[in-house]
Amino acid sequence: MPGRPPAVRMPARLVDSADFERVLGERSRATTDHFALHHLGSQPLRQGSPPGGPGSTKLSTIEDPARTFPVEDFAPAALPTGPAWVGVVVPKRYAKRAVTRSLLKRQIYAATVRHRARLAPGLWIVRLRASFEPSRFISAASPALRHQARSELDALLSAATVVR
């Protein structure tokens, strides 16, 4: 039986609104018809442990000290440690349906994984800046929308990345 493929190291995700404001305050580094890419050569303001982890001031109802991470988060060994932090902004005004927003977010994170070796250190935000034409992409999860988003995101990240 063949072994498992090696785990893919994802860039760390931005979650703090202050970091989003800092990065979005910068001029976009690259744009396509539907996406914009912003970069700030800095580290996140708060680089602590995940919520509920050691040093957290939040109360927890979990008594087991071995379970300090919520179910949705990665295990401590799988947390990304690279210098590239990625955030995603997909506003409702450009993607009305939740299924469309979810598809676009998955495509964005997958594109950052494909281009992670070329991402310069710092904070990166990919922002949806225009809606996809509803008459052309009838289904919110259509293969055509997936293909269009993937090709634009690859072009966007290729145009803006710098080899470390």
Side-chain angles (χ1 to χ4, degrees), residues 56-126:
S56 175
T57 59
K58 289 186 174 184
L59 296 176
S60 174
T61 58
I62 300 173
E63 296 298 327
D64 183 12
R67 295 210 32 179
T68 58
F69 292 91
V71 176
E72 299 85 71
D73 289 342
F74 295 103
L79 286 174
T81 58
W85 295 75
V86 177
V88 174
V89 178
V90 181
K92 277 187 179 179
R93 77 176 145 177
Y94 297 133
K96 303 274 188 229
R97 298 184 64 197
V99 66
T100 306
R101 290 192 303 275
S102 295
L103 177 129
L104 293 174
K105 288 176 188 178
R106 284 193 310 271
Q107 290 292 319
I108 291 168
Y109 284 122
T112 60
V113 168
R114 285 192 304 274
H115 293 272
R116 72 185 176 281
R118 298 175 49 188
L119 288 176
L123 310 177
W124 294 87
I125 290 184
V126 179

Side-chain angles (χ1 to χ4, degrees), residues 3-163:
R4 292 179 113 179
V8 176
R9 302 285 297 181
M10 292 180 49
R13 291 189 183 186
L14 283 179
V15 293
D16 194 8
S17 60
D19 290 326
F20 276 86
E21 288 177 18
R22 289 174 46 212
V23 180
L24 290 173
E26 296 292 317
R27 198 170 192 197
S28 61
R29 190 165 182 167
T31 59
T32 62
D33 291 340
H34 297 98
F35 297 99
L37 182 69
H38 299 266
H39 177 255
L40 178 65
S42 178
Q43 292 295 313
L45 293 175
R46 297 181 204 154
Q47 290 186 26
S49 57
S56 175
T57 59
K58 289 186 174 184
L59 296 176
S60 174
T61 58
I62 300 173
E63 296 298 327
D64 183 12
R67 295 210 32 179
T68 58
F69 292 91
V71 176
E72 299 85 71
D73 289 342
F74 295 103
L79 286 174
T81 58
W85 295 75
V86 177
V88 174
V89 178
V90 181
K92 277 187 179 179
R93 77 176 145 177
Y94 297 133
K96 303 274 188 229
R97 298 184 64 197
V99 66
T100 306
R101 290 192 303 275
S102 295
L103 177 129
L104 293 174
K105 288 176 188 178
R106 284 193 310 271
Q107 290 292 319
I108 291 168
Y109 284 122
T112 60
V113 168
R114 285 192 304 274
H115 293 272
R116 72 185 176 281
R118 298 175 49 188
L119 288 176
L123 310 177
W124 294 87
I125 290 184
V126 179
R127 175 177 55 90
L128 181 65
R129 65 185 197 104
S131 59
F132 284 89
E133 189 178 333
S135 62
R136 187 168 167 216
F137 304 104
I138 297 169
S139 171
S142 68
L145 176 60
R146 186 172 304 152
H147 176 71
Q148 178 69 27
R150 181 182 175 130
S151 62
E152 278 194 40
L153 288 165
D154 284 340
L156 181 78
L157 290 169
S158 294
T161 55
V162 177
V163 178

